[in-house]
Amino acid sequence: MVISNFIHPSVGFLLLALILPFLPGRQWKWLLLVPPIVALWSVFSMAPGVYAVLPYLGEQVTLGRVDSLSLIFAQVFAVMSLIGMIYALNVEDKGQHIAASLYVAGSFGCVFSGDYISLFVFWELMSIGSTFLVFLNRTRESTLAGFRYFLFHTVGGLFLLGGLLLRYKATGSFAFDHIPSADAALYDWLILIGFCVNAAVVPLHAWLPDAYPRATPSGAVFMCAFTTKTAVYVLARGFAGWEVLAVAGAVMAVYGVFYAIIANSARRVLAYDIISQVGYMVVGIGVGTALTLDGTAAHAYAHILYKSLLFMSVGCLIYAVGTDKLEKLGGLAERLPWVTILFTVGAMSISGMPLFNGFVTKTMTIAGTAEAHHTWQALALEVATAGTFIAVGIRLPYFVFWRRKPEGSWNDAAMKPIPWNMYAGMALAAVLCIAQGLYPDMLYRSLPFPVEEPYVPWTQWHVLQALLLLGFSGLAVVLLRGIITVRSGINLDFDYFYRLIGRAVLALLCHPFAWLDDRWTEAYRVGGLRGLMLVASGCSWFDRQGIDGVVDGSAAAVLGVGRIGAKVQNGNIQDYLAMATVLGLAVFGLVWYLG
């Protein structure tokens, strides 16, 4: 769609998803890179403005609202789509590429939506595409997780739909703009709940650590980048300055990192840490100052890069040795040295280590939160930073790469060589993580909100603070190394209560209906079945005595007449004349008598 020099980045991905099923051979894989390249060119060349305003059912639907906030998210989405497609070039399953294309198209559509109608359409497209990235792993666990994932996002979409319809009824407008918290009505809270489901706000988060570890390896790379960050964008667009988000984000930051520390699979560790990292962004949105909103946008940009790098690294582990379970991993630093190095770049970035991009974005959000006098939220983010370093910067690489290989773990002879494209995708993300850490201005100049005093991360205090925090976190790991272990199984968090709700539904609904069904079956067996047998017996008697009697009697009569006729026909002409005479006299006598 080309309108007023605006090329919507979603178009290329939608076209790819449309034509991909019909492309033969193997050369179609190179077409996967075309939509991301077009999206990069489009995003980095478009000017702010309002484009692609279309009439729909008497309303104006805006598909292209371009401003500084939408541009920074669109930029990182375009970069990530290229990285993800490069990483997935070796995947033969067209279904995965179609689902990923629809998913990315939905995210771009949400970022540029100027109204709730188009936002809702792209929101649901994103939900459908991401659900299939879970289904297409084709295991029983992924199927169940996919259904649950879709159920959560369907419920979130219904909250969004109900809120936007009630809002339209009250205001007469579908415009998607900022909503002041003081003027919020019920429908605004419904919309907020719908957004919070995708943002994995606790306790609406259970779908994330359940689905992401069970998605396809390349699908998880896309999912870690788009769903929650699209939710962060719409929250920043519509709900900046809502105090409830500052509280919710602080809870997310600490809650997610706690469960990341005790999780037993690499992707589950990273999934819980997504909740924690998105908590930083939600705090920044809730505080609502220019500095914290800039910190939210910058941290979302950095998070997409380093989190995708980490998920790509774990995807390499799954490809090479077939598992991401920590109890089955170890000793891989020697066998997978480049994966180890690239994973370390992502781990240092997410931990906020100086020289990496997490340092120049996390400190911005924390400093802005403290300056706005949200002291305990700032402390919660500091605690989450320390926990992230323990979970992802120390514990995860130790159990995966540096400890001695456990007995009965991965088979050295069966290890598969990692394709070049997977290394290429990881290398591109790693280079950007380091480049943004060394030259933060390449990120800062795209930040959406102007501030009176530009934030400077490379000060002695910021560097010293980061090093002290990480240093003491490392010391804590050394002192507590005896309790930081790996156990098989799943650590249930708030998911425990969802399971209780499920059991309660079974007890209140399914079990009574099952009891009634059993009673009805027994009643039918005792009464209904006997009655049916009696009716069948009566029908059988009538068939024998009635219908068969009439038919058999008629047949016997005809047979008797036939036998008499056969006996009469003896071939004697005198007998025939005599019978004719007798018959004639009988007829004459009958006519004479009656007449």
Side-chain angles (χ1 to χ4, degrees):
M1 181 187 304
V2 180
I3 301 179
S4 303
N5 298 321
F6 171 77
I7 300 178
H8 202 298
S10 295
V11 173
F13 294 96
L14 293 174
L15 289 176
L16 177 64
L18 181 64
I19 67 173
L20 200 54
F22 307 102
L23 298 178
R26 297 174 58 89
Q27 300 304 315
W28 56 265
K29 287 188 176 182
W30 296 105
L31 287 178
L32 300 177
L33 303 181
V34 175
I37 293 173
V38 173
L40 280 169
W41 174 82
S42 173
V43 170
F44 281 93
S45 63
M46 65 177 58
V50 178
Y51 307 96
V53 180
L54 307 176
Y56 179 73
L57 297 179
E59 299 293 328
Q60 297 297 312
V61 176
T62 303
L63 302 180
R65 176 174 54 189
V66 181
D67 58 16
S68 57
L69 181 60
S70 59
L71 274 176
I72 189 169
F73 279 87
Q75 286 176 12
V76 69
F77 284 175
V79 171
M80 184 57 227
S81 66
L82 179 61
I83 293 173
M85 288 298 185
I86 292 174
Y87 182 81
L89 279 176
N90 64 295
V91 176
E92 299 289 344
D93 186 1
K94 288 184 179 180
Q96 294 188 40
H97 298 300
I98 293 170
S101 297
L102 295 175
Y103 182 32
V104 175
S107 297
F108 274 120
C110 291
V111 165
F112 288 114
S113 292
D115 59 89
Y116 282 111
I117 296 178
S118 58
L119 176 67
F120 179 76
V121 171
F122 285 112
W123 193 263
E124 293 305 302
L125 178 63
M126 188 171 61
S127 173
I128 294 171
S130 56
T131 298
F132 277 95
L133 290 176
V134 183
F135 280 148
L136 288 171
N137 204 21
R138 294 183 172 89
T139 65
R140 181 179 183 275
E141 292 76 14
S142 67
T143 300
L144 295 175
F147 275 116
R148 187 186 193 195
Y149 177 91
F150 188 68
L151 178 63
F152 262 93
H153 288 277
T154 299
V155 172
L158 290 175
F159 273 102
L160 174 59
L161 179 62
L164 68 90
L165 292 177
L166 292 174
R167 181 176 177 80
Y168 177 77
K169 181 179 180 181
T171 65
S173 174
F174 283 115
F176 176 37
D177 295 314
H178 179 256
I179 302 169
S181 58
D183 301 332
L186 173 62
Y187 45 77
D188 297 315
W189 286 98
L190 294 178
I191 293 172
L192 177 62
I193 293 172
F195 290 164
C196 285
V197 171
N198 275 29
V201 173
V202 177
L204 306 174
H205 68 287
W207 57 269
L208 195 156
D210 184 45
Y212 283 23
R214 295 183 172 95
T216 65
S218 60
V221 173
F222 285 98
M223 293 175 73
C224 77
F226 289 98
T227 297
T228 51
K229 263 58 72 183
T230 303
V232 166
Y233 165 77
V234 295
L235 287 173
R237 170 72 69 184
F239 296 91
W242 283 48
E243 184 68 27
V244 65
L245 292 178
V247 176
V251 173
M252 291 172 65
V254 177
Y255 185 93
V257 80
F258 172 78
Y259 278 96
I261 292 175
I262 63 174
N264 73 318
S265 77
R267 289 203 293 182
R268 197 167 177 85
V269 171
L270 299 179
Y272 271 115
D273 195 70
I274 289 176
I275 299 172
S276 178
Q277 297 298 305
V278 173
Y280 287 80
M281 307 169 207
V282 175
V283 167
I285 294 168
V287 174
T289 65
L291 182 58
T292 59
L293 290 173
D294 280 344
T296 292
H299 195 51
Y301 202 123
H303 178 265
I304 288 174
L305 294 176
Y306 60 63
K307 186 64 74 172
S308 65
L309 174 56
L310 293 168
F311 266 95
M312 285 188 285
S313 301
V314 175
C316 288
L317 300 179
I318 297 173
Y319 185 89
V321 301
T323 185
D324 71 333
K325 299 294 184 183
L326 297 187
E327 68 267 21
K328 298 180 180 180
L329 295 174
L332 288 170
E334 182 179 356
R335 293 304 310 276
L336 299 173
W338 283 108
V339 175
T340 305
I341 293 171
L342 294 169
F343 181 92
T344 302
V345 172
M348 293 301 100
S349 299
I350 198 173
S351 301
M353 183 71 71
L355 303 180
F356 299 93
N357 60 354
F359 168 73
V360 302
T361 60
K362 280 188 176 183
T363 53
M364 178 186 294
T365 306
I366 296 172
T369 302
E371 289 179 7
H373 307 292
H374 287 70
T375 305
W376 79 265
Q377 284 95 338
L379 290 174
L381 298 185
E382 295 280 16
V383 171
T385 300
T388 298
F389 183 54
I390 294 172
V392 184
I394 298 177
R395 180 176 179 266
L396 190 53
Y398 168 74
F399 283 108
V400 173
F401 299 108
W402 300 112
R403 71 165 174 168
R404 183 178 301 174
K405 176 185 174 183
E407 293 293 333
S409 61
W410 51 274
N411 187 349
D412 185 76
M415 181 179 290
K416 296 168 60 178
I418 296 172
W420 68 269
N421 61 286
M422 299 176 79
Y423 281 121
M426 290 190 293
L428 181 56
V431 167
L432 291 174
C433 287
I434 296 173
Q436 289 181 348
L438 295 176
Y439 305 101
D441 190 58
M442 65 184 297
L443 174 59
Y444 286 0
R445 62 174 173 238
S446 299
L447 295 179
F449 300 100
V451 294
E452 295 181 1
E453 296 183 6
Y455 179 76
V456 180
W458 287 105
T459 64
Q460 292 181 353
W461 167 241
H462 287 151
V463 174
L464 180 62
Q465 183 185 30
L467 293 177
L468 286 173
L469 184 63
L470 299 178
F472 280 110
S473 301
L475 179 61
V477 172
V478 173
L479 296 176
L480 301 175
R481 61 185 180 274
I483 64 173
I484 301 179
T485 59
V486 174
R487 298 177 179 86
S488 60
I490 296 176
N491 298 305
L492 294 179
D493 60 329
F494 205 90
D495 206 24
Y496 174 79
F497 298 101
Y498 284 111
R499 298 190 181 200
L500 284 181
I501 294 172
R503 295 190 186 101
V505 171
L506 287 175
L508 294 175
L509 296 179
C510 297
H511 292 169
F513 280 115
W515 182 85
L516 289 174
D517 181 68
D518 290 341
R519 302 289 80 74
W520 165 252
T521 301
E522 181 66 18
Y524 173 77
R525 187 184 67 81
V526 174
L529 189 59
R530 289 181 179 178
L532 186 63
M533 292 301 294
L534 288 174
V535 172
S537 299
C539 291
S540 177
W541 178 87
F542 178 75
D543 177 68
R544 292 193 309 272
Q545 303 298 323
I547 297 175
D548 289 353
V550 172
V551 173
D552 293 346
S554 300
V558 171
L559 181 61
V561 173
R563 287 174 179 172
I564 294 172
K567 291 180 179 179
V568 171
Q569 297 177 10
N570 54 12
N572 192 331
I573 189 64
Q574 292 85 352
D575 292 340
Y576 294 161
L577 289 174
M579 285 189 292
T581 302
V582 172
L583 181 62
L585 289 174
V587 172
F588 174 79
L590 183 64
V591 172
W592 177 79
Y593 177 77
L594 295 175

